[in-house]
Amino acid sequence: MIGECVYGVGPVLAALSANRREFYVLYVQEGIDLTGNNKKKKDKKAFEKVLKLADKIGLTTKEISKHDLNMFADNRPHQGLVLDASPLEMVNIRQLDRVAENEGTGLWLALDEVMDPQNLGAIIRSAYFFGASGVVLCAKNSAPLSGVVSKASAGSLELTELRSCKNMMQFLVSSAENGWRVLGGSVASRAVDINEVVTGAPTILVLGSEGTGLRPLVERSCTQLVKIPGNIPVHLSAGLEDVDPLSFVAVESLNVSVAAGVLLHHLAGSKSAVNAE
């Protein structure tokens, strides 16, 4: 491959539609049957649209074996399509522009060292679904924008506004000075229940890494900490006496991608009906 492997019907279609990459070759599984009962109608239509777009832009298309496609996609679910394309490039950003008086609402997502590509893709999918303005990532210690991320995002990676910052703390502080509310997702005791947070203000939602959450300096850069209330209290005591056995199956926080969906729904999507796939 010349560039990066983008695989799967949704990601390939989104990449070709967004036209943010340079395209080299579209690989199609030879002998693939799109008429079988096991093929979803929307997948069939999307597959056909990919072929039409490739033909329209003059992209070289090659039929190869399923085995070779598996090799390109590292045995991940490619659905018969693999696109050889240049990597996505992110624009560096130091701060968000100053909020103008009477300006409409805005919502950005800032991710502090999210390293798992599956989590990153799922978060970007939620951000796109709920209409977030864009996503800001750390220039270092973040999962690279690979084909794995694009597939996990169901192709929304190709369509989302992406920015990169060298210093997350400075980005948040400078943006706050420009009128942005900075909400940090946290399980800290001082964090406010998300249901108590008023929606509508220009907001940056900050989420931390899978294992440790927000770094201390990033947490201090937030104007407010927010949390998602759970139904099962977590037993954090060191002693074992009089402990409810159910407390051992409880968790103190949600997976970061799940938390992103819940928080984004409250901040941006609660006014619209949600259709989950």
Side-chain angles (χ1 to χ4, degrees), residues 61-205:
T61 301
K62 294 182 179 180
E63 288 193 7
I64 61 175
S65 68
K66 183 177 181 180
H67 170 75
D68 289 340
L69 284 179
N70 289 341
M71 295 294 289
F72 280 147
D74 198 20
N75 289 314
R76 295 186 174 94
H78 51 71
Q79 299 173 285
L81 286 175
V82 168
L83 176 64
D84 186 0
S86 65
L88 279 174
E89 295 184 0
M90 287 191 295
V91 177
N92 290 323
I93 188 173
R94 299 184 64 181
Q95 62 191 25
L96 292 181
D97 292 338
R98 181 172 296 280
V99 176
E101 188 175 354
N102 299 323
E103 184 177 343
T105 60
L107 175 61
W108 280 78
L109 191 58
L111 302 179
D112 182 39
E113 299 190 346
V114 173
M115 298 292 294
D116 186 289
Q118 296 289 340
N119 278 336
L120 179 57
I123 292 170
I124 291 173
R125 177 176 181 170
S126 293
Y128 183 79
F129 181 86
F130 288 116
S133 302
V135 177
V136 179
L137 304 174
C138 297
K140 295 182 179 179
N141 298 325
S142 291
L145 301 182
S146 63
V148 178
V149 176
S150 188
K151 179 63 174 176
S153 75
S156 57
L157 171 69
E158 311 295 331
L159 308 171
T160 301
E161 291 294 329
L162 300 168
R163 300 290 184 269
S164 173
C165 67
K166 294 182 179 180
N167 188 315
M168 180 62 74
M169 290 76 77
Q170 186 58 53
F171 165 76
L172 296 175
V173 170
S174 297
S175 297
E177 292 174 349
N178 283 344
W180 288 85
R181 178 177 63 174
V182 182
L183 302 181
S186 173
V187 295
S189 58
R190 65 181 182 279
V192 176
D193 188 324
I194 186 61
N195 295 315
E196 299 177 11
V197 175
V198 177
T199 60
T203 300
I204 302 172
L205 174 62

Side-chain angles (χ1 to χ4, degrees), residues 16 48-61:
L16 293 177
E48 292 171 344
K49 190 166 184 178
V50 166
L51 298 181
K52 289 180 181 179
L53 274 175
D55 181 64
K56 182 178 180 181
I57 64 177
L59 176 61
T60 300
T61 301

Side-chain angles (χ1 to χ4, degrees), residues 218-230:
V218 172
E219 189 174 277
R220 291 175 200 157
S221 303
C222 299
T223 56
Q224 189 176 28
L225 299 180
V226 295
K227 61 184 175 183
I228 301 169

